[in-house]
Amino acid sequence: MKASMDNDAQPDRMMAAIGEAMVLGRGGDAAGARTRLIALWEQVGATGDPLCRCTIGHYLADLCDDAAEALTWDVRALDAADALTDDRAKAHHASLSVAGFYPSLHLNLADNYRRLGSFAAAARHLEEARRRLGALADDGYGQTVRAGVDHVAAALAAGSTERLSSH
């Protein structure tokens, strides 16, 4: 059953719950994090708050060993980002802008397609990630995404479908 998102505080409670699930995953309990995030996805619903859907999808994709499953969640995250507004993102945290989401989302899609051997699709998403890098600050996050683009580009150029340790 989809939770009501009419109350302005509800999405922020959901974002807090998403953050708690990710702490589990970073703490080594990937299965527990996946279980919680899937339950949260079911509460938000496929047409619920775009920030929640984008965040859940992005995090769930990172927890998937299977590239096809990761691709499914990354596509959901990208679709949600397309419905997200800067006002909604800034309501959660003043530093957020939707444009800053896209480099990482396209990078992850490029990596999934690469792992699946769909090199043309991977190259298109990698180019889209590169095109959008200007939206990122020159901070730790921006540097991580830029390094990821280089890492995935090298793997793509080598024709590798192996999972990368990081991107």
Side-chain angles (χ1 to χ4, degrees):
M1 183 163 118
K2 182 179 167 233
S4 171
M5 292 294 160
D6 294 335
N7 180 339
D8 287 342
Q10 185 68 22
D12 289 326
R13 283 195 298 271
M14 181 62 69
M15 289 299 293
I18 294 166
E20 291 168 9
M22 283 318 301
V23 168
L24 269 180
R26 289 182 186 126
D29 186 2
R34 271 192 302 276
T35 298
R36 285 193 186 184
L37 288 168
I38 289 169
L40 293 171
W41 176 267
E42 290 170 358
Q43 289 177 22
V44 171
T47 60
D49 179 65
L51 181 61
C52 294
R53 289 185 293 123
C54 183
T55 307
I56 292 169
H58 192 59
Y59 285 158
L60 267 168
D62 288 345
L63 294 170
C64 295
D65 290 326
D66 180 73
E69 186 179 3
L71 177 63
T72 298
W73 287 110
D74 278 327
V75 167
R76 288 175 177 164
L78 180 65
D79 286 345
D82 288 343
L84 184 57
T85 65
D86 276 337
D87 287 342
R88 171 60 187 111
K90 288 183 184 310
H92 178 68
H93 196 280
S95 70
L96 295 178
S97 74
V98 179
F101 290 22
Y102 285 101
S104 178
L105 292 170
H106 283 287
L107 171 61
N108 287 355
L109 286 165
D111 193 44
N112 292 329
Y113 281 119
R114 179 196 61 79
R115 288 177 58 208
L116 291 168
S118 184
F119 297 128
R124 285 191 301 273
H125 281 282
L126 193 60
E127 183 55 35
E128 192 63 23
R130 280 188 180 120
R131 190 178 73 75
R132 295 173 180 254
L133 286 173
L136 299 177
D138 190 22
D139 58 8
Y141 175 74
Q143 291 169 3
T144 297
V145 174
R146 286 179 181 91
V149 166
D150 292 342
H151 200 189
V152 171
L156 184 59
S160 172
T161 59
E162 296 301 314
R163 185 174 184 145
L164 301 176
S165 61
S166 67
H167 67 271

